[in-house]
């Protein structure tokens, strides 16, 4: 058999097994896996290395304005380069609708932005204005193009679509086989806390943590799940930051809900004390939901380990520590006027590998599930997320032993800080291939701007029996089809 590339002598890790062997690649796909493969125009020695599916980053804000109108620092070129240095072979950022904007216009805007990517990409649609035309015409057109997930917000006045809006979106999603992602925080609880803090003049970055109570997340997660059950639609809860929220998700998954959730490295690695760093330094750590405490970290790790979370995603939301980003509203801006988010697309997998696998909290196979294979399955990237003949040759080769300190330079993004600065991490993604083409190798970028392709996604393959509310069951509701 002829191969363009053979990766040899590596330890091959998939979501459910690990074995020694070689991988043969032709025309961008894996075409053979065997104990030993000869030939290949290019041979990559993976001796002493782990060969894994390239990461799929399922939560990143790239070339996207914040809800307050601040453009993030990373475009599809720098964002994809940073993702690749961090062990990812593809990513799914958001394409965000502004109120009044058509979904067709949103997609055209992000198609132009996405054309710069070095990695394969898709988008989750953020829907902020679910008008009749959006629900009946525009979203179905987006599905037809292979955009099979969207995100809605339960918070932020400019984004929150209300419970009725959510039910409408969930219903469209159910009809087409899409997944609805939700940012779950109770908007009124946050606004009420903001008003109380403002009345006392408490506006330093640390008060951000207090302004968005754990109860606000827990209440909204509970409500989002109830809404999804009424619509009998699958739901994906993004960036879970609380032990209580994770426990609700766990309980509902165990009782059969078609429910998925993620947490992020920042909730595992950082705490609200980081928001209390001197001066305005805490602004670097403002993200929503906010950082919590050490007990929460331990509880969230427990849920990573036990399978409550399908993914650990970065929620890369890069706002620089200057007037273009965090301080767009002034160097001493009160916390509600500081852009929400922090970078992390390059650090996500090195962090998860080191703190997860190397520290014995998760297995190598779980690492693959959390970094790639679950996102591929839930978000319909059917040719990615596992090492198998026929799949795209999206592969990350990891040196599992080298230890280094996190630096800004190693992130290869457009940011001027990393919240993980100085952390000592073991394990380095040394080589990343996307569709067989080398993107990074031993610290060097090998890819050309724009070589990534848009990936049309399939409807999600979903676990679980779903939920029929009594009141929607004709056998229990006087025979009504509602
Ligand atoms: N939600 C996100 O998912 N990312 C950044 C800010 C936010 O509110
Ligand atoms: Zn969010
Ligand atoms: Zn986000």
């Amino acid at each position: 058999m002829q191969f363009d590339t053979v990766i040899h002598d590596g330890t091959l890790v998939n979501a459910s097994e690990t074995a020694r062997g070689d991988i043969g690649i032709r025309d961008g796909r894996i075409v053979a896996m065997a104990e030993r493969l000869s030939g290949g125009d290019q041979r990559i020695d993976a001796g002493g290395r782990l060969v894994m599916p390239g990461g799929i980053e399922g939560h990143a804000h790239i070339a996207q304005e914040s809800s307050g109108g601040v453009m993030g620092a990373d475009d599809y070129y720098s964002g994809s380069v940073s993702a690749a240095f961090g062990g990812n072979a593809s990513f799914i950022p958001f394409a965000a609708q502004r109120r009044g904007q058509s979904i067709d216009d949103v997609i055209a805007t992000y198609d132009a932005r996405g054309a710069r990517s070095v990695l394969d990409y898709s988008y989750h649609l953020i829907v902020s204005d679910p008008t009749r035309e959006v629900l009946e015409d525009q979203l179905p057109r987006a599905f037809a193009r292979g955009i099979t997930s969207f995100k809605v917000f339960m918070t932020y006045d400019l984004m929150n679509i209300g419970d009725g809006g959510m039910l409408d979106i969930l219903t469209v999603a159910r009809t087409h086989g899409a997944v609805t992602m939700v940012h779950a925080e109770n908007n009124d609880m946050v606004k009420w806390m903001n008003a109380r803090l403002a009345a006392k003049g408490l506006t330093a970055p640390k008060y951000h943590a207090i302004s968005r109570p754990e109860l606000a997340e827990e209440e909204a997660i509970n409500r989002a799940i109830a809404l999804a059950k009424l619509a009998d639609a699958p739901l994906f809860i993004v960036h879970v930051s609380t032990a209580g929220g994770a426990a609700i998700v766990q309980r509902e998954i165990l009782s059969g809900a078609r429910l998925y959730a993620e947490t992020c490295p920042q909730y595992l690695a950082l705490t609200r004390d980081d928001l209390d760093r001197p001066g305005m330094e805490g602004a670097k750590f403002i993200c929503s939901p906010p950082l919590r405490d050490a007990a929460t970290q331990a509880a969230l790790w427990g849920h990573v380990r036990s399978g409550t979370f399908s993914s650990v995603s970065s929620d890369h939301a890069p706002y620089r520590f200057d007037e273009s980003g965090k301080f767009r509203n002034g160097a001493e801006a009160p916390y509600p006027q500081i852009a929400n988010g922090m970078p992390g697309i390059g650090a996500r997998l090195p962090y998860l590998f080191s703190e997860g696998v190397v520290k014995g909290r998760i297995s190598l196979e779980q690492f693959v599930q959390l970094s790639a294979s679950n996102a591929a399955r839930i978000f319909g990237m059917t040719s990615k997320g596992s090492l198998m003949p026929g799949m795209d040759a999206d592969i990350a080769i990891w040196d599992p032993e080298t230890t280094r300190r996190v630096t800004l330079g190693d992130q290869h993004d457009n940011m001027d800080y990393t919240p993980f600065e100085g952390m000592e991490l073991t394990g380095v993604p040394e080589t990343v291939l996307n569709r067989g083409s080398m993107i990074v190798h031993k610290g060097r970028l090998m890819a050309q701007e724009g070589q990534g392709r848009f990936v049309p996604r399939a409807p999600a393959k979903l676990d679980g029996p779903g939920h029929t509310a009594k009141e929607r069951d004709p056998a229990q509701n006087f025979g009504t089809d509602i």
Side-chain angles (χ1 to χ4, degrees):
M1 208 172 191
Q2 284 295 109
F3 302 117
D4 301 328
T5 303
V6 169
I7 301 172
H8 63 93
D9 289 304
T11 298
L12 313 182
V13 190
N14 260 319
S16 56
E17 68 276 305
T18 298
R20 294 298 296 273
D22 296 355
I23 295 181
I25 297 167
R26 196 174 58 225
D27 297 332
R29 290 186 178 253
I30 298 173
V31 291
M33 291 172 70
E35 217 172 313
R36 191 134 311 279
L37 293 172
S38 54
D41 298 341
Q42 171 184 235
R43 289 185 67 80
I44 302 175
D45 182 358
R49 302 291 188 256
L50 300 171
V51 181
M52 303 196 268
I56 300 174
E57 170 62 82
H59 188 151
H61 303 268
I62 306 292
Q64 187 200 322
E65 291 93 353
S66 72
S67 54
V70 183
M71 178 51 99
D74 280 311
D75 53 35
Y76 272 75
Y77 177 69
S78 61
S80 61
V81 167
S82 181
F85 275 101
N88 298 285
S90 62
F91 65 157
I92 317 176
F94 295 94
Q97 181 197 28
R98 274 179 283 104
R99 289 207 170 140
Q101 189 182 19
S102 77
I103 298 296
D104 304 271
D105 190 42
V106 175
I107 294 174
T109 301
Y110 281 88
D111 279 345
R113 295 174 182 175
R116 300 188 59 194
S117 181
V118 303
L119 296 179
D120 286 359
Y121 60 96
S122 178
Y123 327 112
H124 310 289
L125 270 178
I126 291 180
V127 184
S128 64
D129 200 1
T131 60
R132 215 60 7 252
E133 301 79 62
V134 166
L135 295 168
E136 288 175 5
D137 303 327
Q138 297 171 14
L139 286 179
R141 263 202 299 283
F143 291 122
R145 267 208 55 182
I147 299 175
T148 57
S149 52
F150 28 68
K151 180 180 178 188
V152 297
F153 284 79
M154 300 172 85
T155 188
Y156 304 130
D157 284 346
L158 288 174
M159 304 299 289
N160 175 17
I161 58 170
D163 294 353
M166 263 188 79
L167 284 166
D168 286 341
I169 295 280
L170 286 159
T171 302
V172 176
R174 175 180 165 64
T175 305
H176 294 273
V179 177
T180 304
M181 305 163 83
V182 63
H183 176 135
E185 284 185 293
N186 180 307
N187 199 36
D188 282 345
M189 283 165 104
V190 172
K191 284 166 69 173
W192 189 78
M193 290 296 283
N194 278 340
R196 292 175 75 86
L197 287 160
K200 289 191 178 325
L202 303 176
T203 61
K206 67 182 173 191
Y207 295 110
H208 174 75
I210 293 168
S211 72
R212 309 185 82 93
E214 295 188 3
L215 284 168
E217 177 173 287
E218 291 163 20
E219 186 283 324
I221 285 177
N222 230 340
R223 181 158 38 104
I225 293 170
L227 295 170
K229 282 178 159 175
L230 185 58
D232 189 17
L235 185 69
F236 189 109
I237 300 178
V238 297
H239 51 49
V240 174
S241 69
T242 57
I248 296 166
V249 171
Q250 180 184 46
R251 185 189 73 215
E252 293 289 340
I253 289 174
L254 289 175
S255 72
R258 282 216 212 99
L259 179 63
Y260 307 89
E262 66 178 14
T263 191
C264 312
Q266 48 272 38
Y267 302 114
L268 299 167
L270 306 169
T271 68
R272 59 160 61 179
D273 291 346
D274 291 297
L275 283 155
D276 193 19
R277 294 197 190 189
M280 291 301 280
E281 192 79 5
K284 291 179 178 174
F285 301 90
I286 287 185
C287 62
S288 292
L291 303 175
R292 310 292 183 180
D293 55 21
T296 304
Q297 291 179 337
L300 292 177
W301 266 118
H303 286 285
V304 171
R305 181 191 181 97
S306 66
T308 303
F309 296 120
S310 299
S311 319
V312 174
S313 308
S314 72
D315 195 2
H316 183 76
Y319 304 107
R320 288 170 64 95
F321 195 61
D322 63 22
E323 63 291 342
S324 73
K326 291 285 182 186
F327 302 122
R328 244 273 294 262
N329 295 314
E332 302 284 324
Y335 73 81
Q337 291 178 34
I338 296 175
N340 258 306
M342 60 175 77
I345 200 166
R348 167 182 85 118
L349 296 182
Y351 173 80
L352 183 64
F353 186 88
S354 185
E355 289 294 307
V357 177
V358 177
K359 293 226 169 129
R361 291 174 167 125
I362 57 171
S363 67
L364 271 175
E365 290 83 2
Q366 281 179 298
F367 177 80
V368 169
Q369 293 160 25
L370 292 160
S371 64
S373 67
N374 285 342
R377 182 172 50 88
I378 296 165
F379 296 127
M381 282 212 173
T382 51
S383 64
K384 300 189 185 293
S386 76
L387 305 177
M388 244 182 4
M391 301 295 276
D392 286 354
D394 282 16
I395 298 172
I397 304 175
W398 283 68
D399 163 358
E401 279 169 5
T402 296
T403 297
R404 49 179 204 189
R405 280 190 186 280
V406 175
T407 64
L408 175 62
D410 285 342
Q411 305 311 303
H412 301 274
D413 57 12
N414 276 345
M415 284 298 292
D416 53 359
Y417 77 95
T418 163
F420 305 102
E421 183 80 42
M423 225 171 253
E424 202 166 82
L425 300 180
T426 299
V428 177
E430 207 173 53
T431 304
V432 170
L433 281 73
N434 175 208
R435 273 181 294 103
S437 163
M438 211 178 251
I439 307 296
V440 298
H441 185 54
K442 299 197 171 169
R444 287 186 29 229
L445 179 66
M446 314 294 281
Q448 300 299 318
E449 178 171 327
Q451 75 176 68
R453 286 194 201 148
F454 176 80
V455 181
R457 291 182 285 122
K461 269 210 203 117
L462 301 165
D463 316 319
H467 184 89
T468 306
K470 280 181 198 153
E471 298 79 359
R472 299 196 65 194
D473 176 5
Q476 302 182 70
N477 73 0
F478 314 110
T480 309
D481 178 18
I482 185 158

